[in-house]
């Protein structure tokens, strides 16, 4: 499937069979972030009703079973740096590639900063 086909899937076309209630809540909230835009871990925590749980949000995103369909790459650190991707701190290259594709094809208001070593 292509990127566009994966993003066009409706919630009833895939099934989340694992994860805690909180993780599933975070994962499903990801679909509400427009392509080409990002929010912070803190904003995601607020969106799911747990404003002080940004670390738990990061852990949920690291366990995302469908990373393109449920676009965890759209969540960044509050300083604008990328943070990890797919549970790995050294895979920001993938995250940046997907965000760049979205910026190019769907527009964006992103301000990203290079991660500090």
């Amino acid at each position: 499937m292509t990127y566009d086909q994966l993003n066009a899937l409706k919630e009833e076309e895939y099934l989340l069979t694992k994860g805690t209630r909180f993780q599933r809540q975070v994962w499903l909230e990801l679909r509400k972030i427009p392509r080409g835009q990002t929010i912070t871990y803190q904003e995601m925590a607020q969106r799911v009703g747990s404003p002080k749980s940004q670390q738990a949000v990061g852990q949920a995103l690291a366990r995302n079973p469908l990373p393109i369909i449920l676009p965890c790459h759209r969540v960044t650190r509050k300083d604008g740096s990328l943070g990890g991707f797919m549970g790995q701190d050294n895979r920001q290259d993938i995250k940046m590639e997907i965000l760049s594709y979205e910026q190019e094809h769907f527009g964006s208001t992103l301000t990203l900063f290079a991660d500090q070593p």
Side-chain angles (χ1 to χ4, degrees):
M1 295 184 101
T2 67
Y3 169 89
D4 291 325
Q5 290 170 322
L6 289 170
N7 271 278
L9 290 174
K10 305 284 186 251
E11 191 173 327
E12 58 272 6
E13 295 179 295
Y14 57 88
L15 182 63
L16 291 174
T17 58
K18 50 176 153 167
T20 65
R21 182 180 154 279
F22 178 79
Q23 288 171 331
R24 290 191 305 270
Q25 187 178 6
V26 169
W27 297 336
L28 293 174
E29 186 67 28
L30 291 167
R31 297 292 303 251
K32 298 175 184 174
I33 306 168
R35 290 186 281 189
Q37 296 184 23
T38 61
I39 65 170
T40 65
Y41 293 101
Q42 185 173 8
E43 185 177 343
M44 176 59 80
Q46 292 168 344
R47 285 183 176 205
V48 298
S50 297
K52 296 187 186 281
S53 64
Q54 55 268 40
Q55 194 168 25
V57 165
Q59 291 170 357
L61 298 180
R63 291 170 177 81
N64 179 358
L66 304 168
I68 298 297
I69 296 169
L70 304 172
C72 54
H73 60 275
R74 296 181 191 152
V75 183
T76 62
R77 294 178 179 155
K78 67 181 175 183
D79 68 0
S81 61
L82 293 176
F85 183 66
M86 296 175 52
Q88 300 178 26
D89 282 333
N90 63 344
R91 294 317 321 237
Q92 292 92 351
D93 57 326
I94 297 171
K95 192 171 189 175
M96 192 66 223
E97 188 72 28
I98 299 168
L99 287 169
S100 294
Y101 176 87
E102 289 183 348
Q103 288 173 337
E104 182 180 329
H105 291 87
F106 306 105
S108 172
T109 57
L110 290 181
T111 303
L112 298 174
F113 300 94
D115 283 331
Q116 300 298 316

